[in-house]
Amino acid sequence: MNSGKPRPRIVVAMSGGVDSSVTAALLARQGHDVVGVTLQLYPGEAAKRKGACCAGQDIHDAKRVAASLGIPHYVLDYESRFRKNVIADFADSYARGETPIPCVRCNERVKFADLMETARELGAEALATGHYARREEGAEGAEHPAAPAAARDQSYFLFATSRAQLDYLRFPLGNMEKREVRAIAEELGLVNAAKPDSQDICFVPEGRYSDIVRKLRPDAARPGEIVDLAGKVLGRHDGIIHFTIGQRKGLGLSGNEEPLFVLKLDAARAQVVVGPRSALGASAILLREVNWLTQARGSFDCAVKVRSMRPPVAARVTPLPGGAARVELLAQEEAVAPGQACVFYHDGRVLGGGWIAASEPAQVAAE
């Protein structure tokens, strides 16, 4: 530990997992005045469920880690904010026929908004998280390079982070791999050193997201028709909330000449439009709510990711009025789903990104 005067205070968002725990440990080892904060996001029995950040056991784990590190730890009740800004938005998105990413909304509207304000009130010079992401000082301020370990890079989920928020954030794990993080946790004897990563959306028990949507937006579960591109009725479904663009299984259709995939979800008509895989390709995307880390002054070439686990592809981005943008893909992408994000990269740095509002089929965009 640093024996000199403590460095400035840093608040660490501690979810109870190994990543945020090691983040706190590394900063404490560097001599920072570290304060751990855990957000309680679930009421009652939901808070006792294991396997999701900010659940009951996770709060307990965060407390034990903080105690072992000798740092103060606080639990903040953010249930109402999380319900309004993340869970309700999640249900609304599915009701519109989209495939949402609630982790991005949580970062944007809770962790990097309300929690950041709390960190400032605690006199902290920065808020640190356990994301596998990086922040560097550039000529025009904070920049957001992707993490070098591509399999762990979480820059996609941070695309909505503003330049002002990025100025205040720190990502101590950005240049590390998971095995290194676990090794540090074991070396320090942290109680969660071997704790598995959460695989599900934190507020969705056992992955049944349709239960949440049905409860909050009952109309989204109304049954409807499964039709082909010509409008021919091929079957029926129990609600568009059970489907996503590119889905093949669970359609309940058989006897077709070739496999059918979900091409479009029409919420107004409660229709699921299906077609062959060849119709899944898109060569242009319309974005809304675009966030810029580097302000564009016109069309530019870059690489884009349309899903978190897909590799970047070459594209040309054109900013549009009203916070929108048009992305022309140089090679078509399959199953581009409204509600997902399209993130812009150049030389390994995040330039910005936006929410996918619609896509143009490859054959239409080529005409």
Side-chain angles (χ1 to χ4, degrees):
M1 296 285 275
N2 189 333
S3 58
K5 183 179 179 180
R7 297 181 185 179
R9 175 171 295 174
I10 295 182
V11 165
V12 177
M14 299 181 69
S15 67
V18 65
D19 296 328
S20 58
S21 296
V22 170
T23 294
L26 291 174
L27 292 170
R29 178 185 285 180
Q30 293 168 10
H32 287 286
D33 175 12
V34 177
V35 177
V37 173
T38 300
L39 306 182
Q40 180 175 324
L41 305 178
Y42 315 101
E45 291 301 312
K48 299 179 181 179
R49 182 171 58 84
K50 294 183 179 181
C53 70
C54 308
Q57 181 60 46
D58 302 291
I59 293 174
H60 181 62
D61 289 344
K63 281 180 175 291
R64 293 177 66 190
V65 168
S68 71
L69 296 176
I71 63 173
H73 176 260
Y74 302 98
V75 178
L76 304 181
D77 182 354
Y78 275 32
E79 291 176 16
S80 61
R81 310 179 207 202
F82 187 75
R83 185 168 56 249
K84 175 184 177 181
N85 294 320
V86 180
I87 299 179
D89 179 83
F90 174 84
D92 288 340
S93 185
Y94 262 112
R96 293 192 296 268
E98 300 176 345
T99 305
I101 318 175
C103 293
V104 175
R105 287 301 194 197
C106 184
N107 290 331
E108 176 190 11
R109 298 178 174 180
V110 179
K111 292 179 182 176
F112 298 164
D114 296 330
L115 179 55
M116 192 170 284
E117 182 179 340
T118 297
R120 288 193 171 96
E121 291 173 353
L122 289 171
E125 73 158 17
L127 171 67
T129 77
H131 286 101
Y132 289 83
R134 293 195 295 162
R135 170 199 177 280
E136 295 179 355
E137 286 295 333
E140 299 180 4
E143 296 181 345
H144 188 16
R152 300 296 305 180
D153 175 43
Q154 293 179 303
S155 61
Y156 178 89
F157 296 100
L158 301 173
F159 86 88
T161 305
S162 70
R163 174 63 68 81
Q165 290 170 338
L166 195 59
D167 280 338
Y168 194 67
L169 287 167
R170 301 294 183 271
F171 306 114
L173 307 187
N175 292 313
M176 302 176 68
E177 295 190 8
K178 190 72 174 192
R179 57 181 175 78
E180 298 176 76
V181 172
R182 289 202 183 278
I184 293 172
E186 290 174 4
E187 172 196 339
L188 295 173
L190 300 185
V191 296
N192 53 7
K195 188 174 184 177
D197 294 338
S198 175
Q199 299 298 319
D200 297 325
I201 296 173
C202 63
F203 58 87
V204 180
E206 300 177 10
R208 293 197 298 267
Y209 65 86
S210 58
D211 292 350
I212 298 286
V213 181
R214 187 182 295 108
K215 179 180 179 180
L216 296 178
R217 304 292 182 266
D219 288 349
R222 62 189 174 110
E225 301 171 335
I226 300 176
V227 302
D228 64 15
L229 286 167
K232 179 183 177 182
V233 177
L234 304 180
R236 294 193 58 81
H237 64 79
D238 295 328
I240 63 170
I241 61 174
H242 300 290
F243 303 91
T244 187
I245 304 300
Q247 180 176 333
R248 176 184 173 186
K249 297 181 179 180
L251 298 180
L253 304 175
S254 60
N256 302 291
E257 293 183 3
E258 57 183 318
L260 297 177
F261 297 80
V262 176
L263 304 179
K264 179 182 177 182
L265 299 173
D266 189 330
R269 299 180 180 179
Q271 283 188 338
V272 175
V273 181
V274 299
R277 183 167 188 168
S278 59
L280 273 177
S283 62
I285 307 170
L286 182 64
L287 306 181
R288 56 181 171 81
E289 297 179 55
V290 177
N291 176 61
W292 297 103
L293 288 180
T294 300
Q295 188 60 51
R297 295 176 175 82
S299 298
F300 61 93
D301 296 327
C302 65
V304 302
K305 291 181 69 170
V306 297
R307 294 268 182 153
S308 63
M309 298 307 294
R310 287 192 192 174
V313 297
R316 186 166 183 77
V317 177
T318 301
L320 300 174
R326 176 182 170 82
V327 179
E328 297 177 61
L329 301 166
L330 302 190
Q332 63 175 282
E333 279 277 82
E334 285 191 346
V336 176
Q340 292 286 294
C342 178
V343 182
F344 320 142
Y345 295 83
H346 181 67
D347 288 340
R349 281 172 162 68
V350 178
L351 304 180
W355 297 99
I356 298 173
S359 63
E360 296 178 12
Q363 60 268 29
V364 172
E367 291 177 358

